[in-house]
Amino acid sequence: MLHRSTRCLGGGFRKKAGDEIVRLGHSQTRSIQTRRYATITESSNFPKPGEQLHGFTLKRTKHVPELQLTALHLEHRKTGAEYIHIARDDKNNVFSIGFKTNPPDATGVPHILEHTTLCGSEKYPVRDPFFKMLPRSLSNFMNAFTSSDHTTYPFATTNRKDFNNLMSVYLDSTLHPLLNKDDFAQEGWRVGPENPQKDLQGTAEHEKLVFKGVVYNEMKGQMSDASYLYYIKFQENIFPDINNSGGDPQKMTNLTYNGLKEFHTKNYHPSNAKFFTYGDMPLTDHLVQIGQQLDKFDISEADRVIKLPIQLNGPRQVTIEGPMDPLVSKDMQYKTSTSWVMGDMSDVVEAFSVNLMTSLLLDGYGSPFFQGLIHANLGTEFTPNTGLDTSGKLGIFSIGLTGVKEADVSRVKEFIFSILKNCHRQGFEKSKVDGLLQQIELGLKHKTATFGMQLVQRLQPGWFNGVDPFDAVAWNDTVEAFKRKYAEKGYLEGLLKKYLLNDNTLTFTMVPSTTYGEALVSEEAARLNEKIAEVTAKAGSKDKAYQLLTERELALVEVQEKARTQNLDCLPTVHVADIPRKMTSKTLRDSQIGDVKVQWRETSTNGLTYFRALSMFESLPDDLRALVPLFTDSILKLGTKSQTIEQLEDLIKLKSGGIRASYYSSTSPTDIEECREGLSFSGFALDRNIPAMYDLFRTIIQETNFDGPAAENMIKQLVNSDAGNALDAIASSGHSFARRFAEAGLTPESGLTEQIAGLTQVQHTGALASRSESQGLADVMVKLKKIQQIAIANNSNLRVALACGPESVLENEVALQKFLASLPSTTRSPGDRSPIAPIRGKKTFFPLPYQVYYSAMVFPTVPYVHPTGASLSVLGQLLTHKHMHHEIREKGGAYGGGSFAKGLGGIFVHYSYRDPNPQNTLKIMNDAGRWAVDREWTAKDLEEAKLSVFQGLDAPESVNEEGMTRFLSGIDQEMEQKKREQLLDVTTNEVKDAAQQYLVQGISQANIAMIGEQKAWPIEEDGWIFRSLQVTQNPAPKEAEGILG
């Protein structure tokens, strides 16, 4: 999996420019288990530095009390492999092995190697043991990541047997892979007939020869994402010593099988490896298993060179061409950014300080760069490289805009320097610095279920580039060192001057080209012809070349087919018997304050209170629903008549861990034709700040100012930003958009979701963005105020859930009573909701300029409480692991494909992702039900499918998620327990019956949606309906119609 482990916007404090603060160093402190915590992390339980254990030497240890962990740094004596173990009272244990993999070129050899290492090894000589382990495990995370200069293989599980099983597979796969040539052809690239089976059917004409390969098609899909394209081309220019590790499809076909093997031999060696384990399992057990593997190797040299970006000794400018976005106005298609190379990121205190300084410049809608660039209408959104990149030895800071007009491109850099000079002159307010430090404190207290995985992903990029992981994990030491430096007057302003008040910059601009897509097609065709010509020269003629390529393709198909029935007894597994029949229940309590029902979860929360409220709509017209995403976005960005958004953001950072608003909908667990919708509000804060957090909620919901030209201008900016991101959002999650549209006609709730978060919303946003200045958004502002009037009230339409420590229940109850008393008791009905008529048996195609396709086929099924729901869930896993993955990914070359049942939604789904062969995929989907009915399922098949279901069902929960299934969906613990028993008891006959009833007999009720480039297929004569998302320029204002009708 290609992983941009890199460039965290705002440098680690932020997810995205303008978003709430991201809390680093999430803690899973368990104060009620002090004795166990002390036992696990007590330094006396570990060997002393210098001691040797199972081939390793312990170099040092560090106790980090604020994170309630002890870190140990070891080195393997024979190979020099480095190993970090984090001992912590957390049952969700993590393992990762990683290698420094500086890419020698842009062929994507690190990425293709990441895929092929997982296709079979010496100890596990079966085809694709990684994917075959997915249904033999109870892991809650399994993956592999290719980053810019390193490759990692992490997993997480709470089961000790499962941990040892997966570690064995991961170690053997990475250190002793088979690297078969067939796997290189399947995962990397090859040339072959588009559908080799047609030649066997005696068709008159040869099938078209095409490039194939899972990674090849994955990267074609990535390159269809203009944001990714901008980002990777920027990286190539500021960091030319690090080639595109994911692979450029235009260069990928230069990679040879021998080149792949040589890269593995050179880089996948323990001497070039870094190991990481985390959790409550004993270090000694890990060392025994890892040491046995590493002792087979001797020390080796590898390319561990830490690459550096270019030296900027003055201004540089680079301009490249990129694709046009059909969903955005033609005069707002430019992207441009300015970048500086910063200091040494191995100085963690200075890195932290620069990180904080850039966050002050970028964080929030009141930040200097947002106000000075986006609010000034120079662009619609920050570029994907915006922020501080601390993943390398030297940091890189970038700031840029997308949605820029051609005439404004040169002005962007001028405005950037003007903002920087103004910030240096005025200085940074102490309250804003305090707000960021408050977020760190809250982050240390917040208990998450994925702390270990977050930790490894935060430590590894720096670890591979010279940052001491012990320094990086010692959070309080870093913060205290910063505070001492900050006490010196002008410290942050000095850093701004040191790094940014100079013109040693790279200005990188992407200009839109109307011929960009055509040029890609022409280049690929010419490159394909060259490869065919090479084969022809060796074979002697075109016909012989075609025959040779077809024979190779059919031989690969035969290998893939044999793998379906391959004996997998060598692979380790856990068993259904390892799954407890009784679920782990959480104690919940209900109360009522007036007409408002309150759910309480009293547990250890480290002095935090978590709040969530659902405000139900009784009846919401479609034209208002279409604007709910804009409303929930705008109330955290507009400000009030008495407070600017900058002032509100400062208060939010000082008084809470972030507050959020979003649309909510849920299907009834007893009837898929019933649903409810409303608004969801959530946040958390220190117990002492709960009254202040409630006041912030009341302020943003009831007092956000939608009046005046300034408010309308801000709404226009939000609309333009959403419209500008739409095409890239579809490129990265096209299968989800296709699925949502297809589902919209099956159940009422799915229809609502499509209006809010689907292609219907994309088109609606695009239509608003294309309005002229004279048309304006006055009608939208009126509707937003209507939503504000019905957003929340102190009546029976409001429900609240609180999670807090037992010691803070009384003060929380008092604070909640005061909050509710401050709300209006009634709201005025906004009108009548239009019923969503069922639409079934429909095929819809959305033409968009992508090089690959995204598709979904969906079927209506049963409500959550129906006993057949368990059979459908198991059927989804059986089809994914035994059929769809094999046919769509391995043979078809798509990056992903599978099936699943939406238990609460009452829908069964087939999908494909970044798919080069959509016509064949639809045939596979269409026949999947019959295949499942005819298949003779074994007891082992059934067990693996059940294990896959329980991976998600029993995954650890963060403290703020406990009790949320009941609160959000109405599924109580009794329902959950019954469903659990039904899942454990499903039989093969029940699976076949479900497939027969809902996938075979129900095929006429299925909806299909597909996204991609329109070619000779599909055609209207086959029943396809074509829907364009491209908006016309400056349409007249009208009521939202969507694209469902």
Side-chain angles (χ1 to χ4, degrees):
M1 180 181 187
L2 186 63
H3 186 49
R4 252 195 274 180
S5 73
T6 48
R7 323 324 195 195
C8 200
L9 297 182
F13 287 103
R14 349 181 16 261
K15 289 188 290 191
K16 174 182 176 184
D19 281 356
E20 75 282 353
I21 298 296
V22 172
R23 294 161 295 283
L24 295 181
H26 298 302
S27 172
Q28 272 191 306
T29 310
R30 300 179 181 179
S31 59
I32 61 174
Q33 295 184 355
T34 304
R35 183 174 301 170
R36 174 168 162 76
Y37 153 68
T39 301
I40 291 173
T41 62
E42 183 63 49
S43 58
S44 62
N45 292 327
F46 300 105
K48 299 293 185 283
E51 290 187 26
Q52 298 182 359
L53 195 64
H54 303 290
F56 287 86
T57 301
L58 180 62
K59 299 177 69 175
R60 53 185 173 151
T61 64
K62 186 177 184 64
H63 182 58
V64 185
E66 65 269 25
L67 298 179
Q68 294 193 352
L69 61 81
T70 296
L72 298 94
H73 185 194
L74 304 102
E75 183 179 277
H76 187 248
R77 293 194 307 276
K78 193 175 179 185
T79 64
E82 285 194 273
Y83 182 178
I84 295 290
H85 175 70
I86 305 292
R88 195 162 184 265
D89 180 22
D90 188 345
K91 65 180 182 179
N92 197 22
N93 286 257
V94 174
F95 169 86
S96 174
I97 179 173
F99 304 91
K100 182 76 170 172
T101 49
N102 290 323
D105 48 42
T107 61
V109 58
H111 191 188
I112 295 174
L113 181 60
E114 173 225 307
H115 281 240
T116 50
T117 55
L118 300 174
C119 289
S121 66
E122 292 178 7
K123 186 176 180 180
Y124 305 109
V126 299
R127 204 152 198 279
D128 212 350
F130 177 81
F131 279 100
K132 289 184 171 64
M133 280 301 294
L134 287 172
R136 302 167 75 90
S137 166
L138 288 171
S139 65
N140 53 78
F141 187 92
M142 277 180 68
N143 217 323
F145 298 109
T146 301
S147 300
S148 57
D149 60 1
H150 61 279
T151 306
T152 54
Y153 298 79
F155 69 78
T157 182
T158 61
N159 184 286
R160 181 171 296 193
K161 179 181 178 182
D162 195 31
F163 187 97
N164 291 330
N165 289 348
L166 291 173
M167 185 159 64
S168 176
V169 172
Y170 271 54
L171 288 171
D172 205 62
S173 294
T174 53
L175 299 176
H176 306 286
L178 297 179
L179 297 183
N180 290 322
K181 195 167 187 176
D182 288 330
D183 296 324
F184 170 70
Q186 173 184 290
E187 299 296 320
W189 73 274
R190 65 190 186 276
V191 175
E194 193 167 37
N195 187 351
Q197 301 295 339
K198 284 190 176 182
D199 283 313
L200 297 179
Q201 299 166 6
T203 52
E205 296 183 2
H206 287 328
E207 271 290 290
K208 182 174 67 172
L209 293 173
V210 295
F211 281 121
K212 294 184 168 187
V214 172
V215 175
Y216 185 82
N217 287 312
E218 176 189 355
M219 296 313 298
K220 283 181 69 175
Q222 283 280 55
M223 291 298 189
S224 296
D225 180 339
S227 290
Y228 173 81
L229 181 66
Y230 181 90
Y231 173 84
I232 202 66
K233 294 300 181 182
F234 162 77
Q235 285 293 315
E236 289 175 2
N237 279 276
I238 202 164
F239 228 133
D241 282 352
I242 293 186
N243 292 288
N244 183 348
S245 62
D248 184 338
Q250 296 181 1
K251 304 290 193 303
M252 194 176 294
T253 50
N254 294 329
L255 180 63
T256 65
Y257 172 57
N258 287 334
L260 179 85
K261 292 195 296 182
E262 290 169 4
F263 190 79
H264 177 271
T265 300
K266 182 179 180 181
N267 294 281
Y268 276 48
H269 189 280
S271 299
N272 193 38
K274 297 187 187 298
F275 293 84
F276 179 96
T277 53
Y278 162 92
D280 63 1
M281 294 179 189
L283 168 64
T284 303
D285 292 355
H286 303 334
L287 292 177
V288 170
Q289 191 169 350
I290 297 173
Q292 288 174 349
Q293 289 288 331
L294 301 194
D295 285 343
K296 301 172 185 177
F297 292 84
D298 294 315
I299 198 163
S300 174
E301 292 295 324
D303 182 10
R304 292 187 290 271
V305 175
I306 296 173
K307 304 288 187 178
L308 300 177
I310 59 175
Q311 289 187 340
L312 292 171
N313 298 315
R316 291 195 193 185
Q317 293 190 7
V318 175
T319 301
I320 66 166
E321 291 186 343
M324 293 285 292
D325 187 338
L327 307 185
V328 175
S329 177
K330 292 181 179 179
D331 65 343
M332 299 172 64
Q333 300 262 351
Y334 286 75
K335 298 177 175 68
T336 187
S337 65
T338 297
S339 303
W340 294 258
V341 175
M342 311 289 275
D344 190 340
M345 293 295 102
S346 63
D347 181 344
V348 294
V349 177
E350 179 137 326
F352 175 90
S353 303
V354 172
N355 208 334
L356 192 144
M357 181 264 291
T358 57
S359 293
L360 291 169
L361 293 170
L362 279 167
D363 271 353
Y365 291 81
S367 66
F369 275 134
F370 186 90
Q371 290 294 312
L373 296 176
I374 295 178
H375 195 63
N377 292 317
L378 279 179
T380 59
E381 180 61 279
F382 291 117
T383 49
N385 62 331
T386 291
L388 179 65
D389 167 10
T390 60
S391 64
K393 183 172 178 60
L394 299 181
I396 298 171
F397 179 70
S398 304
I399 176 69
L401 294 175
T402 66
V404 180
K405 296 179 180 179
E406 183 177 9
D408 289 336
V409 170
S410 61
R411 298 176 64 210
V412 172
K413 183 177 178 181
E414 296 173 9
F415 273 58
I416 289 171
F417 271 96
S418 175
I419 293 165
L420 290 173
K421 291 174 183 176
N422 188 56
C423 288
H424 180 260
R425 182 172 59 254
Q426 294 184 351
F428 297 108
E429 296 178 22
K430 183 178 183 300
S431 62
K432 296 182 185 298
V433 176
D434 290 342
L436 290 175
L437 295 178
Q438 168 80 354
Q439 296 303 297
I440 294 171
E441 180 187 350
L442 289 170
L444 295 177
K445 288 179 173 290
H446 179 48
K447 299 166 70 173
T448 73
T450 57
F451 175 83
M453 192 58 64
Q454 293 173 354
L455 189 62
V456 68
Q457 291 179 348
R458 186 163 75 87
L459 294 183
Q460 280 185 324
W463 193 12
F464 279 105
N465 285 282
V467 177
D468 187 337
F470 272 37
D471 289 343
V473 81
W475 202 245
N476 274 2
D477 292 349
T478 303
V479 173
E480 291 305 313
F482 164 76
K483 287 180 178 178
R484 289 192 293 271
K485 287 181 175 289
Y486 181 61
E488 304 169 11
K489 186 176 180 182
Y491 173 59
L492 291 176
E493 292 78 9
L495 290 176
L496 189 154
K497 181 179 180 180
K498 174 182 177 180
Y499 288 116
L500 302 179
L501 287 184
N502 61 74
D503 202 10
N504 299 322
T505 59
L506 171 67
T507 299
F508 185 75
T509 303
M510 179 184 284
V511 302
S513 168
T514 57
T515 60
Y516 183 82
E518 295 174 6
L520 283 183
V521 172
S522 297
E523 187 281 332
E524 184 179 52
R527 183 162 36 89
L528 177 64
N529 286 333
E530 288 179 6
K531 295 298 180 184
I532 295 173
E534 291 174 9
V535 179
T536 301
K538 294 179 181 178
S541 70
K542 288 185 177 180
D543 285 342
K544 288 181 179 179
Y546 183 87
Q547 182 180 356
L548 177 62
L549 292 170
T550 301
E551 288 173 353
R552 289 178 183 173
E553 189 72 17
L554 292 173
L556 177 58
V557 170
E558 184 178 357
V559 170
Q560 292 166 334
E561 283 299 318
K562 286 181 178 179
R564 299 184 74 148
T565 57
Q566 193 173 20
N567 188 307
L568 304 179
D569 289 346
C570 66
L571 288 175
T573 185
V574 291
H575 300 281
V576 170
D578 297 321
I579 301 172
R581 189 167 183 85
K582 184 170 178 55
M583 64 181 286
T584 302
S585 61
K586 302 289 192 299
T587 301
L588 303 174
R589 178 174 65 84
D590 295 316
S591 71
Q592 194 158 324
I593 300 177
D595 292 329
V596 178
K597 294 180 179 179
V598 183
Q599 174 182 293
W600 295 85
R601 169 63 178 150
E602 298 170 30
T603 186
S604 172
T605 61
N606 281 347
L608 299 176
T609 292
Y610 298 89
F611 165 83
R612 185 177 298 230
L614 296 177
S615 179
M616 297 294 102
F617 293 139
E618 290 185 349
S619 183
L620 189 68
D622 288 349
D623 62 325
L624 292 191
R625 182 179 302 104
L627 291 170
V628 167
L630 184 58
F631 173 79
T632 57
D633 204 15
S634 63
I635 61 175
L636 289 168
K637 299 176 178 64
L638 258 63
T640 68
K641 290 182 179 179
S642 61
Q643 290 176 293
T644 66
I645 189 57
E646 181 180 5
Q647 292 169 328
L648 284 172
E649 285 179 338
D650 288 347
L651 283 172
I652 289 171
K653 292 171 186 176
L654 284 167
K655 299 298 183 181
S656 76
I659 60 179
R660 298 162 189 81
S662 62
Y663 175 78
Y664 160 84
S665 66
S666 179
T667 300
S668 165
T670 60
D671 186 351
I672 62 174
E673 295 302 320
E674 292 183 8
C675 68
R676 52 188 177 178
E677 66 174 332
L679 292 175
S680 170
F681 303 101
S682 62
F684 74 97
L686 293 167
D687 292 339
R688 67 175 183 268
N689 287 332
I690 285 299
M693 185 182 73
Y694 284 148
D695 189 56
L696 284 166
F697 269 116
R698 184 194 57 77
T699 299
I700 66 164
I701 297 170
Q702 295 189 314
E703 297 182 14
T704 293
N705 182 19
F706 290 103
D707 293 320
E712 185 172 337
N713 181 55
M714 186 64 192
I715 292 297
K716 180 68 173 178
Q717 289 172 1
L718 294 177
V719 167
N720 287 340
S721 176
D722 288 342
N725 292 329
L727 192 68
D728 294 343
I730 298 171
S732 63
S733 302
H735 59 309
S736 297
F737 280 94
R739 173 181 58 77
R740 278 193 287 268
F741 184 83
E743 290 174 352
L746 299 188
T747 67
E749 194 275 336
S750 296
L752 301 180
T753 301
E754 166 61 22
Q755 291 181 43
I756 289 291
L759 296 171
T760 303
Q761 178 67 205
V762 169
Q763 188 177 56
H764 173 72
T765 303
L768 294 179
S770 67
R771 288 189 184 183
S772 66
E773 290 187 14
S774 61
Q775 290 170 327
L777 295 172
D779 59 319
V780 172
M781 306 306 291
V782 171
K783 292 175 183 178
L784 290 173
K785 286 194 283 187
K786 285 184 179 180
I787 298 173
Q788 185 179 37
Q789 293 168 2
I790 62 170
I792 194 169
N794 181 8
N795 57 34
S796 58
N797 286 331
L798 181 66
R799 295 190 294 117
V800 172
L802 288 170
C804 62
E807 71 283 355
S808 65
V809 168
L810 290 179
E811 59 184 295
N812 264 300
E813 194 160 17
V814 171
L816 180 59
Q817 287 175 338
K818 290 182 179 179
F819 171 58
L820 295 177
S822 71
L823 302 177
S825 58
T826 59
T827 57
R828 188 161 49 89
S829 174
D832 296 324
R833 185 176 89 188
S834 302
I836 298 177
I839 302 173
R840 297 181 177 177
K842 181 177 175 182
K843 299 189 291 186
T844 309
F845 188 90
F846 292 88
L848 283 174
Y850 301 139
Q851 300 180 63
V852 286
Y853 294 81
Y854 308 85
S855 58
M857 178 184 289
V858 300
F859 305 75
T861 58
V862 296
Y864 179 87
V865 297
H866 196 286
T868 305
S871 303
L872 289 164
S873 293
V874 173
L875 173 63
Q877 297 302 319
L878 285 168
L879 281 173
T880 294
H881 295 292
K882 301 298 180 182
H883 186 57
M884 307 298 273
H885 173 83
H886 174 75
E887 293 291 335
I888 296 174
R889 179 183 167 112
E890 291 183 353
K891 292 171 64 177
Y895 184 52
S899 306
F900 63 92
K902 296 179 66 177
L904 181 61
I907 292 172
F908 193 91
V909 179
H910 300 315
Y911 69 92
S912 73
Y913 177 67
R914 291 182 179 165
D915 187 352
N917 199 354
Q919 198 168 357
N920 185 59
T921 294
L922 286 188
K923 184 179 185 305
I924 293 165
M925 293 178 176
N926 196 72
D927 296 341
R930 173 52 56 194
W931 185 89
V933 171
D934 293 342
R935 168 91 172 192
E936 290 302 320
W937 299 108
T938 66
K940 187 64 178 174
D941 293 336
L942 196 64
E943 177 167 70
E944 291 181 356
K946 291 178 181 180
L947 289 171
S948 296
V949 171
F950 277 90
Q951 288 174 3
L953 207 62
D954 286 352
E957 287 184 315
S958 299
V959 65
N960 58 307
E961 296 170 343
E962 294 175 357
M964 283 300 104
T965 298
R966 176 180 185 255
F967 182 72
L968 296 173
S969 67
I971 298 173
D972 59 32
Q973 293 188 22
E974 183 179 343
M975 292 179 187
E976 285 190 274
Q977 178 61 36
K978 189 166 186 62
K979 175 68 74 176
R980 184 182 192 87
E981 294 168 4
Q982 290 169 344
L983 286 165
L984 290 170
D985 296 339
V986 165
T987 67
T988 54
N989 285 336
E990 289 170 340
V991 169
K992 287 189 172 191
D993 289 344
Q996 176 66 31
Q997 181 175 355
Y998 295 101
L999 304 191
V1000 178
Q1001 296 174 1
I1003 192 71
S1004 62
Q1005 299 293 301
N1007 285 341
I1008 299 170
M1010 183 176 291
I1011 300 169
E1013 184 181 3
Q1014 185 176 354
K1015 297 182 179 179
W1017 179 92
I1019 57 175
E1020 291 184 0
E1021 287 76 6
D1022 289 339
W1024 285 91
I1025 299 169
F1026 294 87
R1027 299 287 193 186
S1028 173
L1029 290 177
Q1030 186 167 355
V1031 297
T1032 56
Q1033 296 295 306
N1034 305 327
K1038 61 179 181 179
E1039 296 298 305
E1041 294 180 348
I1043 50 179
L1044 290 174

